Amino acid sequence: MASTETTQPEISSQPQQDLETRLSFLQFSPKDEANLKDLSGILAPHISDLVAEFYQHLQKFEETASLLTDELITERLLTAQRAYLERLTQGNYDSQYAAERLKIGQVHNRIGLLPRWYISAYNLYIHLLYPLVFQAYCDDPEQIQNTILSLTKVLMLDIQLAIEAYIDSFSKQLQDANRRLEEYNLNLQAMVRQRTEELESFVYTVSHDLKAPLVTIQGFATAMEEDYAAQFDATAIEYLNYIQRSALKMGDLIQDLLELSRIGRIESPHEAVEMQQIVQEALTQIQLQIEAAHVDVEIQAALPTVQCGKSRLVQVFVNLLTNAVKYMGENPSPRIQIGWQDQGDFYEFFVADNGIGIEPQYHEKIFELFQTLRELEGVEGTGVGLAIVKRIIAYHKGTVWVTSEKGKGSTFHFTLPKMGMFQK
Ligand code: ADP
């Protein structure tokens, strides 16, 4: 189909060498050029009729007719159509010719003509032009065959060039869309970062401010117990104990929340640390609990060196090990295993226990803030420990997850990139 574009296309966009290769692949010879030039005189008296027929055909289909509602565009299209038919048989299929065809694909894409209509329009040319060739050379079958072949070759050339222009334009649109998506994503990330910072500082302020009234409650509850215990009956003492226990629990919650809000706000320096050292520090911190529960701890040999905030990673192990001890249940031979695997770009670590296990439907939930499963009598928790673990690991650009079955122990896995958190 012809273009409605009037500006001159860039010739350099279709280097001569490339065009020559295309023509040679099409087996296009000087003889073809001569055949087409001969056709030019035959075509000339019919051009107006051909353009009119072409126009009528486009009008029959909703998709193509919708492009012809504007009079000016229609006028330009028909003029360009005429020019195309003339140019088709003028010879000189050079880089200028190729550049024009490329431009035409671009224009058609711009006005919203889909490739399917565009390609099918070439069938229309065939339908209109071939009978003319048959008519003109009715006594010379060889000339009919040669001219039809030459015409087909040049139409093929036009189709491939225009389709490449479509593809080029589609990839540019895709690149633009990708760039916009990337920008959008960056903005979104910045927004999330800002919101998270706000939220963290809010949590920090609130938990910090809650400490003072809590200390007052605890102080006066203790004073009441000391000064008035003799005047209280058993129920009053029981109520007072509730207040004290709740105040203690609230103190733990506040402490955990403060800890959680610190992870993103307060940078801990990143350094190369031996994981063995981190694990040992964590075990020392909870040594009493481990001894009291008679837990056997196994550590896999040759733990690697990792890039991390050391105290944060100690905290991860303290939380995971504390849970492993806390949720051991009645196992007569309680055991915890700590191990690792090299996974290429990152290390994977695990803390496995043979405790009560976790049902699959809770495997993700337990990492959310304040999510506790009331599994064991007498085991108290705030539901912040694993949220802290998740936050610290995410901060190090790793992931954490659990594999477990109820009654069959739990294994908490986490990854750390070998390059540290600065890995892209
Ligand atoms: P907390 O221990 O204070 O309740 P956590 O965030 O550390 O909070 O853990 C959330 C929940 O996940 C716990 O209440 C417990 O039900 C479950 N859980 C965590 N670790 C284990 C484990 N090793 N074995 C079984 N259940 C566990």
Side-chain angles (χ1 to χ4, degrees):
M1 230 190 278
S3 161
T4 54
E5 187 76 354
T6 48
T7 51
Q8 278 296 305
E10 259 180 67
I11 297 171
S12 63
S13 64
Q14 197 46 237
Q16 189 63 30
Q17 173 71 39
D18 174 89
L19 182 68
E20 275 165 20
T21 314
R22 286 170 195 262
L23 288 172
S24 126
F25 196 82
L26 282 166
Q27 296 178 308
F28 193 87
S29 65
K31 189 82 193 92
D32 289 306
E33 189 164 348
N35 287 337
L36 287 162
K37 278 184 176 166
D38 288 347
L39 196 57
S40 147
I42 298 166
L43 210 60
H46 299 282
I47 284 192
S48 295
D49 290 345
L50 291 177
V51 170
E53 258 193 74
F54 195 85
Y55 175 70
Q56 277 164 19
H57 189 78
L58 295 189
Q59 285 288 14
K60 285 187 207 150
F61 296 84
E62 208 181 298
E63 289 80 357
T64 41
S66 69
L67 299 171
L68 302 173
T69 46
D70 184 309
E71 255 180 51
L72 191 69
I73 291 192
T74 308
E75 190 50 45
R76 282 169 73 182
L77 178 83
L78 296 181
T79 311
Q81 198 64 52
R82 170 179 289 278
Y84 172 58
L85 285 171
E86 282 165 3
R87 179 70 187 88
L88 192 66
T89 50
Q90 265 171 8
N92 239 350
Y93 304 103
D94 54 9
S95 52
Q96 168 82 39
Y97 180 85
E100 274 168 23
R101 305 317 305 160
L102 271 176
K103 195 86 184 167
I104 283 163
Q106 286 164 6
V107 172
H108 281 117
N109 184 35
R110 203 158 56 232
I111 63 170
L113 184 77
L114 295 177
R116 72 185 76 147
W117 309 118
Y118 184 76
I119 299 281
S120 307
Y122 279 93
N123 187 48
L124 207 56
Y125 286 131
I126 290 172
H127 178 78
L128 297 172
L129 296 178
Y130 287 8
L132 285 180
V133 176
F134 278 92
Q135 240 175 45
Y137 301 118
C138 55
D139 320 326
D140 188 350
E142 204 186 331
Q143 186 57 27
I144 292 180
Q145 181 177 319
N146 290 342
T147 311
I148 294 278
L149 281 176
S150 308
L151 196 54
T152 308
K153 286 176 193 175
V154 79
L155 289 178
M156 288 290 172
L157 174 72
D158 291 3
I159 293 177
Q160 48 166 276
L161 289 170
I163 285 303
E164 281 174 25
Y166 267 107
I167 293 171
D168 190 50
S169 155
F170 288 155
S171 7
K172 282 202 180 98
Q173 283 170 21
L174 207 62
Q175 276 167 10
D176 277 357
N178 270 341
R179 217 187 33 250
R180 280 200 302 277
L181 211 62
E182 227 164 81
E183 269 171 30
Y184 185 71
N185 193 16
L186 284 178
N187 286 342
L188 217 59
Q189 279 179 14
M191 210 163 84
V192 170
R193 232 183 349 260
Q194 192 197 342
R195 291 277 152 84
T196 312
E197 278 166 18
E198 281 167 15
L199 207 65
E200 276 164 357
S201 95
F202 171 75
V203 170
Y204 177 77
T205 316
V206 170
S207 8
H208 192 265
D209 291 356
L210 281 176
K211 262 186 167 177
L214 183 67
V215 169
T216 311
I217 292 171
Q218 283 172 322
F220 278 96
T222 310
M224 241 171 163
E225 195 182 22
E226 283 170 6
D227 299 348
Y228 296 94
Q231 295 163 44
F232 285 173
D233 62 11
T235 315
I237 298 274
E238 195 190 336
Y239 289 174
L240 191 60
N241 284 340
Y242 278 136
I243 295 174
Q244 285 173 319
R245 274 206 303 277
S246 296
L248 272 180
K249 170 94 195 257
M250 194 167 166
D252 286 348
L253 266 170
I254 290 174
Q255 199 47 43
D256 280 352
L257 281 177
L258 274 173
E259 205 45 55
L260 188 71
S261 77
R262 274 195 193 110
I263 296 164
R265 268 178 329 107
I266 300 169
E267 293 258 331
S268 59
H270 275 235
E271 51 192 337
V273 196
E274 284 176 25
M275 204 47 138
Q276 181 71 28
Q277 209 187 334
I278 290 174
V279 171
Q280 282 309 340
E281 265 187 45
L283 285 170
T284 310
Q285 282 188 32
I286 60 161
Q287 195 177 355
L288 291 180
Q289 296 164 47
I290 290 178
E291 280 172 10
H294 306 290
V295 182
D296 182 28
V297 181
E298 269 176 42
I299 306 170
Q300 192 181 323
L303 290 176
T305 298
V306 289
Q307 291 287 332
C308 66
K310 184 181 168 196
S311 58
R312 292 285 178 230
L313 255 290
V314 171
Q315 204 176 357
V316 165
F317 274 101
V318 166
N319 287 5
L320 294 180
L321 292 167
T322 307
N323 280 350
V325 175
K326 224 162 65 168
Y327 301 105
M328 193 51 87
E330 298 301 314
N331 196 319
S333 27
R335 196 185 68 239
I336 296 176
Q337 287 168 302
I338 299 166
W340 68 289
Q341 272 180 344
D342 191 326
Q343 301 283 27
D345 286 344
F346 54 88
Y347 293 117
E348 181 182 324
F349 297 94
F350 66 85
V351 175
D353 64 60
N354 56 354
I356 61 170
I358 306 162
E359 286 183 79
Q361 69 262 37
Y362 301 119
H363 286 187
E364 291 194 6
K365 222 171 176 44
I366 52 171
F367 291 97
E368 291 170 18
L369 198 55
F370 303 133
Q371 290 299 329
T372 58
L373 312 176
R374 297 270 161 248
E375 298 274 1
L376 287 183
E377 277 293 310
V379 175
E380 293 258 329
T382 56
V384 185
L386 288 178
I388 290 181
V389 168
K390 188 174 174 184
R391 190 99 175 75
I392 295 175
I393 297 301
Y395 188 68
H396 284 80
K397 302 256 191 295
T399 42
V400 58
W401 70 99
V402 67
T403 47
S404 174
E405 263 183 70
K406 194 169 166 56
K408 296 195 176 164
S410 311
T411 303
F412 284 82
H413 312 252
F414 67 86
T415 58
L416 289 178
K418 285 184 181 171
M419 303 273 294
M421 64 177 291
F422 302 108
Q423 173 163 298
K424 289 251 174 224

